[in-house]
Amino acid sequence: MRNVARTSLVDAAIDELRREIARGVWPVGTKIPSESQLAQSLGMSRLSVREAVRVLAHAGLLHTRQGDGTYVTATDESKVALRRRLDTAAAMDIIDVRRGLDLVAARLAAGRRTEEDLTAMRRTLARRDTAARAGDLDGFADADVDFHLQVADAAHNALLGDLYRSMSDALRDSVRDQEQAALTPDSSHDDLLSAIEDGDAARAVAVSVAILDQQERDL
């Protein structure tokens, strides 16, 4: 009976902490209250709170730093699980998945983009080009991923944007894996922006396919 009661309290603590994290009471990167403070607020023992924190840390929502405290690292366990899966995915598998997302994003962006979207994409491509000329692979990868995220955002489909954003770390790594090949000058991304700017969905899709085909060859 004691074990059942304790498990029930732990589950209740997990649910309450998860709810507070999801609501943004403790944003990502911030430290949550101490174990004793949480125990007092929740009206339960520190042992129950400690177990709840351990479970949420294992799920990827929290991270405990020895001698410092516990910090929020994510707000959604499903996104954590997807990120972990992407971390172990093969580069070619990621490109295969991108074929679905990029083509939909390009087609929708050509019909839905705003002037604000276009301005953001132009600035990011300029940053990408500057990094390429400087041989800055990390800066190039960051700008490249930002550009494709902006194409997805220009589709004005919240789910598509979230799916693409969940893959951002894996996309960045796949660009870095290409090393010097990624920095080779080409006009493909400018061509994609031009097609989106012109509202030419068919050309935007064709350019997106060409970009991914080239990345596949580089890998």
Side-chain angles (χ1 to χ4, degrees), residues 85 89-98:
R85 180 63 187 90
M92 292 301 295
D93 290 343
I94 291 172
I95 287 180
D96 286 341
V97 172
R98 282 190 64 185

Side-chain angles (χ1 to χ4, degrees), residues 72-84:
V72 178
T73 53
T75 59
D76 188 324
E77 287 163 276
S78 63
K79 291 181 180 178
V80 172
L82 177 59
R83 186 169 65 240
R84 286 173 173 170

